[in-house]
Amino acid sequence: DAGVTQSPTHLIKTRGQQVTLRCSPKSGHDTVSWYQQALGQGPQFIFQYYEEEERQRGNFPDRFSGHQFPNYSSELNVNALLLGDSALYLCASSRTGSQPQHFGDGTRLSIL
Amino acid sequence: AQKVTQAQTEISVVEKEDVTLDCVYETRDTTYYLFWYKQPPSGELVFLIRRNSFDEQNEISGRYSWNFQKSTSSFNFTITASQVVDSAVYFCALSEGRGTGGYQKVTFGTGTKLQVIP
């Protein structure tokens, strides 16, 4: 039974570029959340998707957008990358009405 | 707004010592969930425990135990007879109630880095 999988593992981009990160939830899970974890900090909630719609959003600008597909997988898109976007991006999945969230290994994004 | 405070940034203990990680939370909701996660150097967040706001019973799981006290808004985590494999960053987290299609966002503390010295 595969857990939460994220791709790619590492990514290097330059300022101003755009990036797409991908997440496949754990089998049986239908809700996906994305978090940004800067070095030495706790994860910060970006947004949550359920039934292909964004349901909750944290304090992140519109440059951060997402999508959920019918198979529950999800993408995180970040436009106009800034140096401050360098972080570990974590995807978490859960089944509606239950906890806890299960996390993937993350995508480490570096902005040059 | 919900907030989680982990005042201990780093803790070092010698193997076999007991160690307690502190967590204080703030929420206006009467229904909420508290969590502890472990993040080893590999980066993956590993779920350890969940507690809902109506269950103040302490819990013990092997060498791990948790003390939930609503009166002081604390949810502390104790590792008994620590081992080198316990070295990691530990996060306390809070989720308020239940949102549309699932649960509300999870708010994490800043984490406590635990180093267990052999």
Side-chain angles (χ1 to χ4, degrees):
Chain A
D1 179 22
V4 179
T5 59
Q6 293 186 243
S7 64
T9 306
H10 293 87
L11 204 51
I12 299 175
K13 291 286 188 178
T14 58
R15 283 180 297 174
Q17 285 189 313
Q18 177 266 343
V19 68
T20 297
L21 310 182
R22 296 177 176 80
C23 171
S24 292
K26 182 179 170 65
S27 178
H29 288 186
D30 55 10
T31 301
V32 173
S33 300
W34 286 92
Y35 294 81
Q36 180 195 67
Q37 186 178 18
L39 198 61
Q41 299 296 317
Q44 298 292 315
F45 176 78
I46 302 174
F47 43 53
Q48 181 183 78
Y49 276 84
Y50 170 70
E51 291 187 333
E52 303 178 48
E53 289 189 17
E54 182 183 297
R55 301 290 181 168
Q56 301 288 336
R57 190 178 182 92
N59 295 324
F60 280 81
D62 292 343
R63 298 187 298 109
F64 290 77
S65 63
H67 189 78
Q68 185 179 35
F69 299 93
N71 66 353
Y72 308 120
S73 67
S74 177
E75 290 182 349
L76 164 65
N77 300 294
V78 186
N79 295 322
L81 288 166
L82 304 173
L83 292 177
D85 295 332
S86 294
L88 179 68
Y89 288 85
L90 294 163
C91 172
S93 72
S94 58
R95 184 163 51 87
T96 302
S98 73
Q99 286 277 20
Q101 295 181 344
H102 293 255
F103 284 81
D105 291 342
T107 294
R108 187 161 296 283
L109 175 63
S110 298
I111 310 301
L112 304 179
Chain B
Q2 53 191 28
K3 183 180 179 181
V4 176
T5 301
Q6 294 179 256
Q8 303 153 307
T9 305
E10 292 191 38
I11 300 176
S12 291
V13 297
V14 176
E15 199 171 21
K16 298 184 182 177
E17 286 186 344
D18 299 346
V19 59
T20 295
L21 309 182
D22 298 332
C23 173
V24 175
Y25 63 92
E26 295 177 27
T27 178
R28 290 175 293 186
D29 212 334
T30 56
T31 302
Y32 53 90
Y33 295 82
L34 295 164
F35 309 84
W36 276 95
Y37 283 88
K38 174 183 179 180
Q39 188 173 43
S42 58
E44 180 185 359
L45 280 165
V46 178
F47 166 76
L48 296 177
I49 190 173
R50 176 191 71 175
R51 258 291 174 265
N52 71 53
S53 52
F54 300 108
D55 183 2
E56 285 193 73
Q57 281 191 340
N58 292 330
E59 180 158 337
I60 298 175
S61 176
R63 296 185 297 106
Y64 295 169
S65 63
W66 291 269
N67 183 359
F68 175 30
Q69 291 192 338
K70 288 180 71 172
S71 60
T72 57
S73 297
S74 64
F75 186 43
N76 296 336
F77 173 30
T78 297
I79 302 174
T80 302
S82 59
Q83 300 176 1
V84 173
V85 294
D86 295 328
S87 296
V89 180
Y90 290 86
F91 290 97
C92 180
L94 166 69
S95 174
E96 288 179 333
R98 184 179 299 197
T100 303
Y103 284 77
Q104 294 282 7
K105 65 179 183 178
V106 179
T107 297
F108 284 81
T110 51
T112 296
K113 183 177 182 179
L114 174 65
Q115 183 178 16
V116 181
I117 304 167

